[in-house]
C-alpha cells in the first residue's frame, strides 16, 4: 500500500491540508504574473535581453513579447494538462506541471540572452498550464456546493499572495547588484514548485476523479474522510455518491473529446458542451481585458505616470498588491452569498469608475507638472488612490467568480479537459494584454485606462444575459443549467425548472435522465437511479442491481 500520511489526520484536517497544497501551487501563478513587470525594467535584465540601455526600455514590443511567451506555453500546457489530468489523475498531472514550472523558472533565472529567456518562459508556461487547469478543478471537486465559492476564494488568496511577494521582493532587491536585481526574483519562483513536487504524492486523489474512473471504493473512502470522518451510511454521503453515480457512465463518451468540444459539441446534444467552452474562455478574456494586469504587473509604471519618483512608485506598487491579498480573503464572505453573477456585476461597475477616475486625475496631474508642481502631486496621489479601490474590489468580487466558474460548468468526466478552454482564454487574454500594455503606456499613457474602463462597461450585459448562476448548486446539477438550445439565461432556467419538476423534484434523477436523453435512452424509469441499500461498504443503486423497467 502506498504511503498515506493523510490518514492520520482528522477529516477536516485532510481538507485543510489539500487546500494548503493547492494554495502553494497557486502562489507560483500569481508570482509569475507579478514579477516580470518590474524585473524587465532593471538595468541587468535590459542588458541581457537587449530591450534598451541602462534603465531605459526602448523596445517595448520586444519587452511585451518576452512576457507573452509564458502565456504562449500555457495555451498548450492547459490542453495537454487537461487531457493528462483526466486520464492519469490530478496528482500525476500536478506533479508533471510542477516539474515543468521548476525547470522553466530555473532557466529564466540563468538566462544569458533573450532567446534562452523565451524558451524558459515557454517551458514555465507549459507547467503553469498543467497547474492552472488541474488545481482549480481539484479544489472545486473537493468542496461542497454551499461553500464552494468561499472555500475556493480562501485558496485563491495565495494567487494574489504570489503577486504580493513578487512586488516586495523586487522592491527589496532594487539596490542590489545589477544581475542579482533580476536573477534572484526569477529564481525565487522555484520554491513553491519544489514544495508542490515534493508533497503531491502524500495527499489523497480527487474522489470525483476516482469515481469517474471506476474506482468507487477508493472514492467513497476518501469522500467519507474529507467530509469529516463520516460513515458510508451517512445520508449526506449517500446523496453525494448518488449525484456522482449519475455522471460516471458518460466518462468515455465521444462527446467528451477535445475535437468535439472545439467544434461546438456536436455530439453533446442538450448538454451543449461547445457553449460551455465558449463561456469559460470568454469569461477569462473578459477578466484580463478589464484592466487588472495593468494594475498588478505594471503598477510601478502606473505610479510613475502619476508623477511619483521611482522609489515611491516601487513601494506603492507593493502596497497596492497587499490590498489584493486582503480583498481576495474578503471574497470568501460574498462569493457564495451574492453568487457569481451579482459579484461580477458589482466589480465591473466599481472597476470602470475607478479606471475613468485614474485616467482623468493622471491626465490633470501631468498637465500641471510644470505650472503647479504641488497640485500635480496632489492630483497624482488622488489618482493613485483609485488604483487601490480597483484592486480591492476586483479581488473581492471578480477574481474568484471568474476562476471558479470554469470549473463548475463542466460534467465531472470532462472537467479538467473542459477547463482547458478556460485556461486557453486566460492564456490568450494575459498574453495579448501583457504584450500590448507596455506599448500602450509608452505611447498613449493615461488613455490606456480609458480603454480598460470602457471594457468594463461593455461586459456587464454579457454576464447578465449569457451566464447562468452556479452558486449553491452541486457540480452535477449544473448540467441542467445548459439544456435549452437558446444561449439566454432566462430560457435555460425555464428548461431547468421543467426538467426538475418532471423528475419529481429529484435533481440526481433529472441529471441522469438528461444524460440518458443525450445518449438516446429516453424510456427508462427514473426509479432505477435511486440508492436502495448499503452493503459491505458499497453503495448499491437500482442500476447496479440491473433493475430496468420500461415506462408503459
Amino acid at each position: 500500500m502506498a504511503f498515506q500520511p493523510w490518514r492520520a489526520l482528522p477529516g477536516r484536517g485532510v481538507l485543510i491540508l489539500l487546500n494548503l497544497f493547492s494554495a502553494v501551487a497557486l502562489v507560483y501563478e500569481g508570482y509569475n504574473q507579478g514579477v516580470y513587470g518590474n524585473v524587465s525594467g532593471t538595468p541587468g535584465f535590459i542588458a541581457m535581453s537587449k530591450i534598451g540601455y541602462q534603465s531605459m526600455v526602448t523596445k517595448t514590443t520586444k519587452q511585451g513579447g518576452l512576457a507573452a511567451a509564458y502565456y504562449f506555453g500555457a495555451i498548450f500546457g492547459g490542453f495537454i494538462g487537461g487531457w493528462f489530468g483526466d486520464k492519469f489523475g490530478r496528482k500525476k498531472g500536478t506533479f508533471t506541471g510542477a516539474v515543468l514550472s521548476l525547470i522553466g523558472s530555473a532557466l529564466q533565472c540563468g538566462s544569458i540572452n533573450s532567446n534562452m529567456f523565451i524558451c524558459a518562459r515557454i517551458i514555465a508556461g507549459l507547467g503553469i498550464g498543467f497547474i492552472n487547469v488541474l488545481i482549480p478543478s481539484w479544489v472545486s471537486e473537493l468542496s461542497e456546493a454551499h461553500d464552494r465559492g468561499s472555500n475556493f476564494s480562501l485558496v485563491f488568496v495565495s494567487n494574489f499572495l504570489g503577486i504580493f511577494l513578487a512586488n516586495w521582493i523586487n522592491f527589496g532587491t532594487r539596490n542590489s547588484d545589477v544581475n542579482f536585481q533580476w536573477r534572484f526574483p526569477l529564481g525565487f519562483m522555484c520554491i513553491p514548485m519544489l514544495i508542490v513536487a515534493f508533497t503531491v504524492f502524500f495527499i489523497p486523489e480527487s474522489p470525483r476523479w476516482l469515481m469517474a474512473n471506476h474506482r468507487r471504493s477508493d472514492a467513497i473512502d476518501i469522500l467519507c474522510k474529507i467530509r469529516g470522518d463520516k460513515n458510508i451510511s451517512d445520508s449526506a454521503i449517500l446523496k453525494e455518491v448518488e449525484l456522482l453515480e449519475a455522471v460516471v457512465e458518460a466518462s468515455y463518451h465521444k462527446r467528451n473529446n477535445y475535437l468535439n468540444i472545439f467544434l461546438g459539441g456536436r455530439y453533446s446534444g442538450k448538454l451543449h458542451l461547445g457553449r460551455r467552452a465558449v463561456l469559460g474562455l470568454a469569461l477569462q478574456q473578459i477578466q484580463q481585458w478589464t484592466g487588472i494586469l495593468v494594475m498588478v504587473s505594471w503598477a510601478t509604471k502606473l505610479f510613475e505616470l502619476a508623477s511619483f519618483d521611482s522609489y515611491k512608485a516601487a513601494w506603492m506598487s507593493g502596497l497596492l498588491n497587499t490590498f489584493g491579498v486582503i480583498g481576495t480573503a474578503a471574497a470568501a464572505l460574498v462569493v457564495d452569498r451574492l453568487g457569481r453573477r451579482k459579484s461580477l456585476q458589482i466589480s465591473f461597475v466599481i472597476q470602470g469608475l475607478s479606471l475613468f477616475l485614474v485616467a482623468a486625475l493622471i491626465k490633470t496631474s501631468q498637465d500641471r507638472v510644470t505650472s503647479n508642481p504641488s497640485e500635480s502631486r496632489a492630483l497624482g496621489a488622488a489618482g493613485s488612490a483609485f488604483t487601490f479601490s480597483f484592486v480591492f474590489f476586483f479581488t473581492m468580487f471578480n477574481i474568484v467568480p471568474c476562476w471558479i466558474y470554469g470549473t463548475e460548468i463542466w460534467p465531472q468526466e470532462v472537467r479538467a479537459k473542459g477547463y482547458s478552454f478556460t485556461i486557453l482564454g486566460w492564456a490568450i487574454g494575459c498574453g495579448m494584454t501583457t504584450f500590448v500594455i507596455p506599448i500602450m503606456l509608452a505611447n498613449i499613457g493615461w488613455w490606456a485606462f480609458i480603454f480598460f474602463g470602457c471594457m468594463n462597461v461593455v461586459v456587464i450585459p454579457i454576464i447578465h444575459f449569457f451566464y447562468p448562476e452556479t452558486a449553491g448548486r452541486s457540480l452535477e446539477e449544473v448540467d441542467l443549467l445548459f439544456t435549452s438550445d437558446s444561449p439566454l439565461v432566462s430560457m435555460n432556467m425555464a428548461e431547468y425548472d421543467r426538467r426538475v419538476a418532471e423528475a419529481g423534484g429529484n435533481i440526481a434523477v433529472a441529471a441522469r435522465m438528461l444524460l440518458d436523453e443525450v445518449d438516446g435512452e429516453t424510456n427508462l424509469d427514473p426509479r432505477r437511479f435511486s440508492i436502495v441499500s448499503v452493503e459491505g461498504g458499497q453503495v448499491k443503486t437500482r442500476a447496479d442491481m440491473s433493475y430496468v423497467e420500461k415506462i408503459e
Side-chain angles (χ1 to χ4, degrees):
M1 181 178 289
F3 181 48
Q4 297 178 324
W6 54 270
R7 291 191 176 276
L9 296 173
R12 293 298 181 186
V14 175
L15 189 58
I16 291 172
L17 175 65
L18 287 165
N19 285 338
L20 286 174
F21 168 82
S22 302
V24 172
L26 291 176
V27 164
Y28 177 88
E29 195 275 324
Y31 188 94
N32 220 317
Q33 280 192 306
V35 74
Y36 179 79
N38 286 327
V39 159
S40 64
T42 60
F45 184 89
I46 292 171
M48 181 277 294
S49 59
K50 294 181 172 56
I51 58 174
Y53 59 93
Q54 295 181 350
S55 297
M56 180 70 66
V57 176
T58 57
K59 299 179 180 179
T60 53
T61 301
K62 185 176 181 180
Q63 182 188 29
L66 292 174
Y70 171 70
Y71 301 103
F72 176 79
I75 292 174
F76 296 96
F79 282 103
I80 298 170
W83 168 82
F84 194 97
D86 277 338
K87 187 171 182 63
F88 299 106
R90 309 302 189 235
K91 292 173 64 172
K92 292 179 181 178
T94 300
F95 175 78
T96 303
V99 171
L100 288 170
S101 297
L102 182 60
I103 294 171
S105 299
L107 290 175
Q108 284 182 71
C109 174
S111 292
I112 58 175
N113 55 48
S114 58
N115 292 334
M116 181 176 176
F117 189 78
I118 288 174
C119 291
R121 293 281 285 177
I122 292 173
I123 294 171
L126 286 170
I128 202 59
F130 274 73
I131 296 298
N132 273 358
V133 79
L134 293 176
I135 290 296
S137 299
W138 202 346
V139 172
S140 185
E141 290 167 354
L142 293 171
S143 303
E144 298 180 82
H146 69 277
D147 64 355
R148 189 165 58 242
S150 58
N151 187 50
F152 193 92
S153 67
L154 290 174
V155 172
F156 220 77
V157 169
S158 58
N159 177 266
F160 235 88
L161 180 61
I163 300 173
F164 161 87
L165 288 172
N167 277 272
W168 285 114
I169 288 174
N170 281 327
F171 178 75
T173 58
R174 72 192 185 284
N175 293 324
S176 304
D177 174 78
V178 290
N179 284 313
F180 188 84
Q181 284 179 20
W182 69 272
R183 292 193 187 276
F184 177 79
L186 293 174
F188 187 85
M189 289 191 295
C190 295
I191 294 177
M193 285 298 104
L194 277 171
I195 296 172
V196 169
F198 180 74
T199 59
V200 66
F201 292 108
F202 299 138
I203 58 177
E205 181 59 88
S206 164
R208 293 178 184 270
W209 180 84
L210 292 169
M211 186 73 78
N213 285 269
H214 313 297
R215 293 169 59 182
R216 176 195 286 179
S217 59
D218 291 338
I220 295 175
D221 182 36
I222 295 173
L223 192 63
C224 290
K225 184 70 175 177
I226 64 176
R227 293 294 181 254
D229 294 304
K230 291 183 177 180
N231 189 279
I232 191 173
S233 61
D234 185 276
S235 60
I237 295 295
L238 292 178
K239 182 179 179 180
E240 192 163 1
V241 170
E242 182 181 11
L243 288 170
L244 289 174
E245 289 284 359
V247 297
V248 163
E249 292 182 11
S251 295
Y252 300 104
H253 198 284
K254 62 182 178 181
R255 65 173 170 260
N256 294 326
N257 64 57
Y258 272 136
L259 181 60
N260 174 63
I261 298 173
F262 182 77
L263 293 175
R266 53 184 174 165
Y267 297 117
S268 62
K270 292 295 184 179
L271 293 176
H272 292 115
L273 299 184
R275 185 195 306 165
R276 302 191 209 193
V278 172
L279 289 176
L281 184 150
L283 190 57
Q284 278 294 330
Q285 287 279 300
I286 286 170
Q287 185 183 74
Q288 308 315 323
W289 283 101
T290 50
I292 184 57
L293 286 177
V294 74
M295 294 293 184
V296 300
S297 298
W298 305 92
T300 301
K301 179 65 175 177
L302 185 159
F303 292 125
E304 288 175 354
L305 285 173
S307 303
F308 295 138
D309 60 46
S310 59
Y311 173 79
K312 188 173 183 179
W315 71 255
M316 284 191 68
S317 174
L319 184 61
L320 174 65
N321 289 293
T322 304
F323 270 66
V325 176
I326 300 170
T328 310
L333 304 175
V334 299
V335 68
D336 284 318
R337 289 180 173 86
L338 294 179
R340 318 306 186 228
R341 282 158 49 90
K342 188 176 292 185
S343 294
L344 287 170
Q345 302 285 34
I346 291 171
S347 75
F348 293 137
V349 170
I350 297 175
Q351 288 167 207
L353 289 173
S354 297
L355 285 164
F356 291 138
L357 288 168
V358 167
L361 290 165
I362 286 179
K363 169 63 168 65
T364 310
S365 173
Q366 291 177 333
D367 288 344
R368 301 183 184 182
V369 169
T370 303
S371 61
N372 195 335
S374 61
E375 187 172 346
S376 173
R377 287 191 295 272
L379 289 166
S384 300
F386 286 104
T387 66
F388 286 83
S389 69
F390 178 100
V391 169
F392 181 81
F393 286 102
F394 170 86
T395 52
M396 186 174 182
F397 291 105
N398 191 298
I399 189 170
V400 173
C402 279
W403 281 93
I404 194 175
Y405 196 89
T407 71
E408 295 176 319
I409 60 177
W410 290 97
Q412 161 56 32
E413 69 271 11
V414 72
R415 179 161 296 118
K417 192 180 292 183
Y419 195 59
S420 301
F421 289 88
T422 297
I423 299 305
L424 174 64
W426 168 81
I428 294 174
C430 288
M432 291 177 66
T433 52
T434 54
F435 178 75
V436 302
I437 284 171
I439 301 171
M440 292 173 72
L441 293 176
N443 291 280
I444 62 175
W446 60 272
W447 275 104
F449 301 101
I450 295 291
F451 169 79
F452 288 118
C454 290
M455 294 300 291
N456 282 273
V457 176
V458 169
V459 299
I460 290 175
I462 295 175
I463 299 298
H464 177 76
F465 287 111
F466 299 108
Y467 283 81
E469 182 57 71
T470 57
R473 303 185 186 276
S474 70
L475 295 177
E476 290 69 34
E477 180 184 358
V478 169
D479 271 350
L480 299 169
L481 300 177
F482 297 93
T483 53
S484 173
D485 292 333
S486 169
L488 295 175
V489 170
S490 58
M491 300 298 291
N492 281 277
M493 291 311 301
E495 182 68 5
Y496 169 91
D497 292 336
R498 184 191 70 79
R499 287 176 176 273
V500 172
E502 189 178 79
N506 189 314
I507 292 172
V509 170
R512 182 56 182 267
M513 291 176 70
L514 170 62
L515 293 178
D516 281 341
E517 179 183 336
V518 173
D519 292 338
E521 301 173 15
T522 58
N523 294 321
L524 296 179
D525 190 334
R527 288 177 293 167
R528 85 182 264 240
F529 309 121
S530 60
I531 291 177
V532 295
S533 67
V534 179
E535 300 175 8
Q538 296 291 324
V539 176
K540 297 291 185 181
T541 67
R542 293 189 187 276
D544 296 325
M545 300 168 67
S546 299
Y547 175 83
V548 180
E549 180 180 326
K550 297 290 183 181
I551 298 175
E552 297 296 330

